[in-house]
Amino acid sequence: MSQLVFDIVSIFPGFFVGPFSHGIVHQAQKKQAIHLQVHDLRDFTTDRHKTVDDRPFGGGEGMVLKPEPIFRAVENIYSKIPREQGKIILLSPQGRKLCQPHIRHLSQSRQITLICGRYEGVDERVAEFLADDEISIGDYVLSGGELAACVLIDAVTRLIPGVLNNENSQVNESFENDFGATECPSRGVVLDFPQYTRPEVFAGRKVPELLLSGNHKKIRLWRRRKALEKTLKNRPDLLQYASLSEPDRQLLNHSLE
Ligand code: SAH
């Protein structure tokens, strides 16, 4: 298994201790499928106060992360590995919105550098002259890029072959199944079907009878119908561009009746 190395540049290196020591991301490190290195931005400052931010030119509220320490931190990362092996990503609400095909593409990388902003953001020269890509995890504003970096790392890691024990568990998931969407934003994909586990009756609510029937063909159709219904209810935007098969159409019509 080839290893995917993540280099993270942040003013809060301690932030990552929790997220990196649980679940799939933790196991992937143990299996050496990924290697995570956090770089403290303050280590790349040159002044006594380890200054990473300054006031914005042109006035306005808040502080902006200075370019020099970020460029220096990234230079240090690529003094150890060839620059062309890696991808430099700036986490930013102004970036391209992350989605599953993009994550899948990233999972084939050898190395990814993630630059985490704070305060009012990062000097624009980082986006313009250093980063290969600016990525947003959604249309809302976080207080820092660290959570966004964790989201990206988690989603990418679970797609690396050999990381999940059951590779099939990926195939039927939300945003993964169906019409082979390869573009962002995700269109023409269907959300996952609802799952149930024991107990059969919980607080008077019974699991759908059909799932207990052992009739796999019927179960498959039921799940497909439920997946289509749920997508229609919660994410109609996804279905808008889907070329639904005739059986899918029939299932949907059936549930709309
Ligand atoms: N003033 C900026 C927001 C800065 S938020 C603006 O309005 O565009 C501070 C930092 O948090 C950003 O530099 C970025 O690294 C991170 N961040 C905030 N929201 C994010 C999002 N939706 N996706 C990725 N990173 C985000």
Side-chain angles (χ1 to χ4, degrees):
M1 195 194 295
S2 64
Q3 191 182 51
L4 172 46
V5 178
F6 289 100
D7 286 279
I8 302 135
V9 179
S10 162
I11 60 166
F12 294 132
F15 190 98
F16 299 94
V17 176
F20 291 174
S21 51
H22 295 91
I24 295 293
V25 173
H26 184 57
Q27 286 166 27
Q29 290 171 89
K30 284 205 283 193
K31 291 180 183 170
Q32 304 201 340
I34 60 166
H35 181 61
L36 300 164
Q37 304 182 128
V38 187
H39 307 265
D40 186 347
L41 189 60
R42 292 192 198 278
D43 290 344
F44 300 93
T45 53
T46 47
D47 64 315
R48 209 157 51 88
H49 301 291
K50 297 185 180 293
T51 310
V52 290
D53 58 338
D54 208 335
R55 288 192 304 276
F57 276 125
E61 295 293 306
M63 301 296 270
V64 175
L65 285 185
K66 290 158 66 62
E68 307 99 305
I70 297 179
F71 273 76
R72 230 177 270 127
V74 170
E75 219 166 81
N76 173 59
I77 291 166
Y78 294 105
S79 66
K80 292 168 187 130
I81 52 162
R83 170 67 184 89
E84 60 277 7
Q85 266 181 29
K87 187 153 209 153
I88 304 173
I89 292 174
L90 172 65
L91 282 320
S92 160
Q94 300 158 26
R96 292 199 289 145
K97 198 155 38 156
L98 198 58
C99 77
Q100 195 67 11
H102 194 176
I103 293 278
R104 188 163 282 291
H105 183 71
L106 288 174
S107 72
Q108 284 148 21
S109 315
R110 296 178 67 173
Q111 187 272 349
I112 298 173
T113 295
L114 297 168
I115 301 169
C116 305
R118 279 271 156 184
Y119 315 123
E120 282 307 308
V122 178
D123 185 290
E124 188 64 18
R125 284 165 289 192
V126 171
E128 234 180 309
F129 303 113
L130 184 63
D132 297 315
D133 215 346
E134 238 182 313
I135 290 184
S136 162
I137 63 160
D139 293 343
Y140 41 80
V141 181
L142 301 165
S143 57
E146 287 77 8
L147 276 173
C150 290
V151 166
L152 185 149
I153 290 168
D154 185 288
V156 167
T157 298
R158 57 191 293 291
L159 292 188
I160 298 173
V163 166
L164 286 188
N165 293 327
N166 178 8
E167 300 287 325
N168 279 338
S169 68
Q170 288 177 17
V171 179
N172 289 316
E173 271 174 341
S174 303
F175 304 110
E176 281 291 359
N177 50 8
D178 270 279
F179 313 103
T182 53
E183 284 171 17
C184 300
S186 297
R187 283 173 176 159
V189 294
V190 171
L191 301 176
D192 202 359
F193 51 79
Q195 306 271 17
Y196 296 86
T197 186
R198 271 179 289 224
E200 222 175 285
V201 183
F202 165 69
R205 311 270 156 111
K206 210 164 176 290
V207 164
E209 197 68 46
L210 193 93
L211 294 178
L212 313 173
S213 69
N215 184 333
H216 293 292
K217 181 159 181 256
K218 279 197 170 157
I219 290 174
R220 200 159 19 87
L221 280 174
W222 181 89
R223 284 181 162 167
R224 182 68 187 166
R225 178 159 64 86
K226 286 292 168 187
L228 288 163
E229 278 174 12
K230 192 148 196 190
T231 311
L232 192 65
K233 176 169 173 266
N234 290 347
R235 296 292 307 275
D237 56 306
L238 293 178
L239 281 185
Q240 210 176 341
Y241 298 89
S243 47
L244 292 178
S245 67
E246 198 41 46
D248 280 343
R249 249 171 237 292
Q250 282 170 10
L251 283 173
L252 259 185
N253 286 340
H254 180 72
S255 45
L256 289 174
E257 274 164 13

